[in-house]
Amino acid sequence: MTVALKDLAKACGVSVGTVSRALNDKNEVSKATAIRIKQLAKDLGYIPNRAGRALSSQKNINCIGILLPSVNSPFFDDIKRGIKQARNEYKDLGLDIYLVEEEGWDPQKHLKAIEDLEAHGCKAFALCTVEHEIILNKIKELHDRNLPVLLINNDIPNSERICFVGPNYFKSGQVAAAMLNKCMRDASLKILIVTGPKVHNGHQIRVDGFISELNRDGVKYQIETVIEGMDNDIITQQETMKAFHQHPEINCVYMATGSGVAGLGAAVIADRDHHRFVIACDEIYTTRELVKGGIIDFVICQDSKTQGYQAIKKLHEYLIRTDNEKMDDYIVDNIIKIKNHFESN
């Protein structure tokens, strides 16, 4: 039986990249770990694939192009950390990344960014982008040229993408509604919903899941208003304060986006005379502080770092396959966090 790098990695309890670096005497691996890996390789009869090693030593054999609308959006920080981790693990296997960051969700800017990734010579793409005709056409063009596109965080199901890595937004909304119902079981819910830009499909899907679960449980509720915060703190604060002024009966807030949360917090603090139950999505520094301060009651997280890591891992796997079949989506878990999660012991 042939022993592969992945078999060694599994046996050692480390990543494939760590095994590769140890066998190639790279400094990033501790001496003790390298000795253990080399001894196990010897014991299991591992024979290195010299052709594969020669190929891996070439610079930028497989360059993955990444587009994130991450400028002024701290939500993407953990996604970038996951991408960096994957790059470090797979760089010895001939993989590199080229990241382009944009601000917001302008389709024309996103198209230009994808074209920049092409010009850089990228052979695969991990895109967080919008559902728009020019983007759909671009993804199809790349697909027709055998340049795979993976979508990360925001899915476009009717595109020619090979798979999606991200959360189940509908389930996230359902979880939020179920928790709200349990925490305010006997109350008549007067709800404010805050979303991000409508071009981000996930926000609306979260709202759909939220309302679906309220209806399924027979909850007595009224959606007083829905505001679009545009993932901007100032706009979110202004629109939230306006909603509170026009609808003082609001007793709970569901924020279906992770950006603009500082603006929401500022609006809630400014109107502390009215107690409101507040649910947020996505864990960033500001959200953690607002939960610790009792301004937000709980947050539903989506494991952003894993999204970044898995996007690179799945594209690497796709690039070394011999077929061009689509891959299974990778859906991260919804994780509920309350004040206790963020307090120091």
Side-chain angles (χ1 to χ4, degrees):
M1 174 178 153
T2 302
V3 178
L5 277 178
K6 65 180 181 180
D7 301 315
L8 283 177
K10 185 176 181 180
C12 294
V14 297
S15 70
V16 171
T18 298
V19 171
S20 175
R21 287 191 286 277
L23 297 178
N24 287 283
D25 298 317
K26 301 291 185 179
N27 293 330
E28 296 97 325
V29 183
S30 70
K31 185 176 180 180
T33 300
I35 291 173
R36 180 165 61 91
I37 291 172
K38 289 179 179 179
Q39 183 59 51
L40 189 59
K42 182 179 179 180
D43 294 343
L44 295 178
Y46 170 73
I47 300 174
N49 183 332
R50 294 186 178 182
R53 287 178 61 182
L55 187 66
S56 296
S57 67
Q58 299 176 33
K59 183 82 172 159
N60 293 341
I61 291 300
N62 285 326
C63 184
I64 293 175
I66 303 168
L67 165 62
L68 298 177
S70 48
V71 176
N72 294 324
S73 181
F75 163 76
F76 288 95
D77 290 349
D78 277 345
I79 287 182
K80 288 189 285 186
R81 291 187 185 100
I83 289 170
K84 182 178 180 180
Q85 179 185 343
R87 178 185 180 275
N88 289 338
E89 290 189 15
Y90 287 96
K91 64 182 179 181
D92 291 338
L93 302 179
L95 180 142
D96 202 357
I97 68 166
Y98 184 67
L99 171 64
V100 174
E101 300 184 73
E102 287 290 339
E103 182 173 12
W105 303 87
D106 186 313
Q108 291 291 345
K109 290 182 178 179
H110 282 212
L111 177 62
K112 175 63 167 56
I114 297 170
E115 290 172 344
D116 288 346
L117 295 173
E118 284 185 273
H120 189 75
C122 298
K123 295 185 178 180
F125 302 83
L127 309 177
C128 182
T129 188
V130 297
E131 184 169 3
H132 189 279
E133 183 179 2
I134 62 173
I135 300 298
L136 285 166
N137 290 339
K138 189 62 184 179
I139 294 174
K140 184 179 188 307
E141 176 197 325
L142 294 170
H143 173 268
D144 292 344
R145 292 163 48 204
N146 294 319
L147 296 172
V149 174
L150 174 150
L151 295 179
I152 180 171
N153 192 256
N154 188 42
D155 196 12
I156 309 175
N158 58 335
S159 67
E160 292 287 351
R161 48 84 160 166
I162 61 166
C163 69
F164 168 65
V165 175
N168 183 329
Y169 286 102
F170 192 84
K171 186 175 181 181
S172 173
Q174 288 180 308
V175 170
M179 290 294 292
L180 177 62
N181 185 29
K182 287 182 180 297
C183 295
M184 300 185 67
R185 183 172 294 278
D186 297 326
S188 178
L189 305 181
K190 308 294 184 180
I191 304 172
L192 165 65
I193 295 178
V194 184
T195 72
K198 293 179 181 177
V199 292
H200 190 304
N201 295 339
H203 299 159
Q204 185 54 53
I205 295 172
R206 270 184 181 143
V207 173
D208 292 344
F210 181 77
I211 293 174
S212 172
E213 184 69 13
L214 291 177
N215 290 334
R216 189 180 73 86
D217 286 349
V219 177
K220 187 163 56 175
Y221 75 95
Q222 174 69 38
I223 306 296
E224 297 300 330
T225 187
V226 178
I227 62 174
E228 191 175 355
M230 300 304 295
D231 285 351
N232 179 282
D233 288 324
I234 295 175
I235 295 174
T236 300
Q237 180 180 358
Q238 291 173 341
E239 293 300 314
T240 302
M241 293 182 71
K242 186 188 300 182
F244 287 165
H245 177 73
Q246 294 175 346
H247 302 277
E249 68 276 12
I250 290 172
N251 58 10
C252 50
V253 180
Y254 175 46
M255 187 163 187
T257 173
S259 298
V261 69
L264 173 68
V268 173
I269 292 170
D271 196 27
R272 290 294 288 270
D273 290 341
H274 295 85
H275 175 73
R276 297 182 172 97
F277 195 91
V278 182
I279 308 164
C281 291
D282 307 332
E283 181 184 348
I284 60 174
Y285 173 80
T286 307
T287 310
R288 289 195 295 269
E289 293 303 305
L290 289 170
V291 173
K292 285 166 61 176
I295 309 304
I296 293 175
D297 291 276
F298 66 86
V299 58
I300 301 172
C301 313
Q302 54 168 291
D303 197 357
S304 303
K305 185 177 179 181
T306 294
Q307 292 181 55
Y309 179 87
Q310 287 295 331
I312 303 306
K313 180 181 178 182
K314 289 183 80 68
L315 277 174
H316 172 73
E317 292 172 355
Y318 188 89
L319 287 168
I320 63 176
R321 284 168 48 168
T322 57
D323 61 71
N324 292 321
E325 294 296 321
K326 289 190 174 184
M327 307 181 78
D328 292 334
D329 295 342
Y330 189 100
I331 305 301
V332 295
D333 291 333
N334 290 296
I335 305 167
I336 302 169
K337 292 189 177 182
I338 59 176
K339 183 176 182 179
N340 305 70
H341 287 97
F342 305 124
E343 292 179 331
S344 301
N345 294 327

